[in-house]
C-alpha cells in the first residue's frame, strides 16, 4: 500500500521561501505522477504543480499563479520537493501531496502554509 510522507510547510513572510517535500513508499513503480495541490476553507482543491516521472524522463506542469515562483523537482524516484520562492499572502492554504499511477491515487494528509503580509 502506497503511503506519502509530507514535510515542510509553516509560516513565512511575504517574499520569502519555503520548501515542501513528499516521499512515496510502498511502491517501486518507475512511472507515476506526483504533485502538490492546495485548498482554502470552502474552496475546491486546486493544482499547484505536478511532475510526471516515466523511468527518469521528467516533465512538469504549473498553475499560472505560481509559474516562475515555484519549482517542483525530483530528488530521487518517488521523492519530490516544491520550492516556493517569492511567496505571496494568497499562497496561504493547506497543501496536499498527490501520488498517482493512473489506477492508484493517494493523497497526503496536508500541510499548512501561511504567508504573512
Amino acid at each position: 500500500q502506497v503511503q506519502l510522507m509530507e514535510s515542510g510547510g509553516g509560516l513565512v513572510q511575504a517574499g520569502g521561501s519555503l520548501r515542501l517535500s513528499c516521499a512515496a513508499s510502498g511502491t517501486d513503480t518507475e512511472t507515476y505522477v506526483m504533485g502538490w495541490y492546495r485548498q482554502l476553507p470552502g474552496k475546491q482543491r486546486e493544482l499547484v504543480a505536478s511532475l510526471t516521472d516515466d523511468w527518469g524522463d521528467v516533465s512538469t506542469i504549473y498553475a499560472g499563479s505560481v509559474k516562475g515562483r515555484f519549482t517542483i523537482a525530483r530528488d530521487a524516484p518517488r521523492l519530490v520537493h516544491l520550492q516556493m520562492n517569492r511567496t505571496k499572502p494568497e499562497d496561504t492554504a493547506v497543501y496536499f501531496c498527490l501520488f498517482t499511477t493512473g489506477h492508484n491515487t493517494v493523497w497526503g494528509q496536508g500541510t499548512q502554509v501561511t504567508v504573512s503580509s
Side-chain angles (χ1 to χ4, degrees), residues 46-62:
E46 63 176 16
L47 172 70
V48 177
S50 70
L51 180 148
T52 300
D53 187 353
D54 186 6
W55 289 88
D57 186 11
V58 172
S59 59
T60 57
I61 296 175
Y62 294 93

Side-chain angles (χ1 to χ4, degrees), residues 17-38:
S17 298
L18 213 55
R19 179 181 168 116
L20 306 181
S21 293
C22 182
S25 62
T27 177
D28 60 358
T29 182
E30 297 284 351
T31 302
Y32 58 89
V33 176
M34 289 185 74
W36 291 93
Y37 284 68
R38 64 188 182 190

Side-chain angles (χ1 to χ4, degrees), residues 38 48 62 66 68-72 82-85 91 95:
R38 64 188 182 190
V48 177
Y62 294 93
V66 307
R69 299 188 297 121
F70 293 6
T71 302
I72 188 169
L82 181 71
Q83 180 65 40
M84 305 168 63
N85 296 331
D91 294 324
Y95 283 68

Side-chain angles (χ1 to χ4, degrees), residues 55-110:
W55 289 88
D57 186 11
V58 172
S59 59
T60 57
I61 296 175
Y62 294 93
S65 59
V66 307
K67 195 173 287 188
R69 299 188 297 121
F70 293 6
T71 302
I72 188 169
R74 169 189 180 271
D75 298 321
R78 301 171 298 281
L79 173 61
V80 301
H81 74 262
L82 181 71
Q83 180 65 40
M84 305 168 63
N85 296 331
R86 292 186 282 139
T87 54
K88 302 177 180 180
E90 50 263 44
D91 294 324
T92 295
V94 178
Y95 283 68
F96 295 89
C97 179
L98 166 80
F99 173 93
T100 183
T101 60
H103 53 265
N104 182 25
T105 298
V106 180
W107 289 95
Q109 62 182 17

